Amino acid sequence: MSWRGCRTMLAAANRSSASVLKPPKVSSLARPLKVTPALSEFVGAPEVSRGHTMKKIWEYIKLHNLQNPTNRRQIICDAKLKTIFSGKDTVGMLEIGKLINPHFIKDE
């Protein structure tokens, strides 16, 4: 290994040690936020992250077999899901994130 390679590795190590002192940034998916009473009742907590909410919703969908058997991208909503999905009977898989977004209360 050449000296130039060692210096490059040492410089990279010095840069990374400086970043250890900074507190890590929490992504928007992992940051707990206050939620509406309807979503709070569904998830079971007054503050929850978006990622955890999606995980709980999918656990519920799989547990109760609510995916349309012919079109797996479509979710058939029962009474409990209708409370958080604006009363819709069916929801598209990619629509879930858009429908739960209003349930997160933004701190000002």
Side-chain angles (χ1 to χ4, degrees):
M1 183 184 293
S2 71
W3 286 101
R4 177 170 285 171
C6 290
R7 289 181 184 148
T8 305
M9 289 175 26
L10 184 60
N14 286 338
R15 274 184 266 137
S16 66
S17 65
S19 66
V20 172
L21 302 176
K22 297 177 188 175
K25 273 189 133 179
V26 179
S27 72
S28 61
L29 286 176
R31 183 177 12 153
L33 297 170
K34 292 179 184 174
V35 293
T36 61
L39 187 60
S40 176
E41 185 178 322
F42 183 86
V43 177
E47 288 188 0
V48 68
S49 66
R50 293 178 195 276
H52 187 70
T53 302
M54 291 298 282
K55 182 178 176 182
K56 287 288 193 181
I57 289 171
W58 276 106
E59 284 176 3
Y60 184 82
I61 290 169
K62 300 261 183 193
L63 179 68
H64 296 286
N65 198 19
L66 296 175
Q67 279 183 290
N68 186 344
T70 57
N71 182 5
R72 304 286 290 168
R73 293 181 295 164
Q74 188 177 35
I75 310 303
I76 301 166
C77 298
D78 62 355
K80 194 169 182 180
L81 281 178
K82 284 182 182 182
T83 61
I84 60 172
F85 290 153
S86 305
K88 292 189 168 197
D89 292 327
T90 59
V91 173
M93 186 183 290
L94 299 176
E95 201 177 353
I96 294 174
K98 183 171 61 173
L99 290 172
I100 65 166
N101 194 32
H103 291 284
F104 290 97
I105 301 167
K106 289 155 180 72
D107 293 331
E108 294 180 31

